[in-house]
Amino acid sequence: MMPKKLETATYVEAMAQLLDLDLKPQHRPGVIKNFATIYAIASLVTEFSLPDDIAAAPVFEP
Protein backbone atom coordinates (compact mmCIF):
# COMPACT_ATOMS: atom_id res chain seq x y z
CA MET A 1 0.00 0.00 0.00
CA MET A 2 1.31 3.39 -1.00
CA PRO A 3 1.69 5.86 1.91
CA LYS A 4 -0.50 8.92 1.63
CA LYS A 5 1.13 12.28 1.01
CA LEU A 6 -0.40 15.13 2.95
CA GLU A 7 -0.28 18.60 1.44
CA THR A 8 0.39 20.32 4.75
CA ALA A 9 0.08 23.88 3.44
CA THR A 10 -3.35 23.14 1.97
CA TYR A 11 -4.42 21.33 5.14
CA VAL A 12 -3.28 24.14 7.45
CA GLU A 13 -5.09 26.72 5.32
CA ALA A 14 -8.29 24.66 5.27
CA MET A 15 -8.24 23.99 9.02
CA ALA A 16 -7.50 27.63 9.87
CA GLN A 17 -10.49 28.63 7.79
CA LEU A 18 -12.72 25.89 9.20
CA LEU A 19 -11.80 26.73 12.80
CA ASP A 20 -11.95 30.48 12.12
CA LEU A 21 -8.35 30.93 13.29
CA ASP A 22 -6.64 34.23 12.68
CA LEU A 23 -3.40 32.73 11.39
CA LYS A 24 -1.05 35.62 10.68
CA PRO A 25 0.90 35.47 7.39
CA GLN A 26 4.24 35.62 9.23
CA HIS A 27 3.26 32.55 11.29
CA ARG A 28 2.07 30.37 8.40
CA PRO A 29 5.49 28.97 7.37
CA GLY A 30 6.27 27.88 10.95
CA VAL A 31 2.84 26.32 11.45
CA ILE A 32 3.13 24.45 8.15
CA LYS A 33 6.64 23.22 9.01
CA ASN A 34 5.58 22.08 12.49
CA PHE A 35 2.51 20.31 11.14
CA ALA A 36 4.64 18.48 8.56
CA THR A 37 6.92 17.33 11.39
CA ILE A 38 3.95 16.17 13.49
CA TYR A 39 2.56 14.29 10.48
CA ALA A 40 5.90 12.54 9.87
CA ILE A 41 6.16 11.47 13.53
CA ALA A 42 2.54 10.27 13.65
CA SER A 43 3.09 8.27 10.45
CA LEU A 44 5.59 6.09 12.31
CA VAL A 45 2.73 4.94 14.54
CA THR A 46 -0.15 4.85 12.07
CA GLU A 47 1.80 2.92 9.42
CA PHE A 48 2.86 0.20 11.86
CA SER A 49 0.67 -2.82 11.16
CA LEU A 50 -0.73 -4.91 13.97
CA PRO A 51 -1.94 -8.50 13.80
CA ASP A 52 -5.71 -8.98 13.47
CA ASP A 53 -5.94 -11.00 16.68
CA ILE A 54 -4.47 -8.31 18.95
CA ALA A 55 -6.81 -6.70 21.50
CA ALA A 56 -6.49 -3.21 22.90
CA ALA A 57 -5.87 -2.96 26.62
CA PRO A 58 -8.98 -1.70 28.45
CA VAL A 59 -6.84 0.27 30.93
CA PHE A 60 -3.47 1.95 30.41
CA GLU A 61 -1.00 1.14 33.17
CA PRO A 62 2.49 2.63 32.70
Side-chain angles (χ1 to χ4, degrees):
M1 183 175 172
M2 208 59 175
K4 294 181 207 169
K5 174 74 172 120
L6 179 67
E7 294 297 329
T8 52
T10 304
Y11 183 80
V12 167
E13 288 293 328
M15 289 299 104
Q17 209 171 34
L18 181 70
L19 298 171
D20 196 26
L21 294 176
D22 183 22
L23 189 55
K24 305 280 188 237
Q26 66 268 27
H27 296 144
R28 288 183 198 285
V31 171
I32 292 166
K33 182 179 181 227
N34 286 332
F35 198 88
T37 302
I38 291 166
Y39 179 75
I41 293 168
S43 294
L44 295 173
V45 174
T46 59
E47 292 175 1
F48 185 81
S49 61
L50 295 173
D52 291 334
D53 61 338
I54 197 165
V59 177
F60 173 73
E61 295 177 15

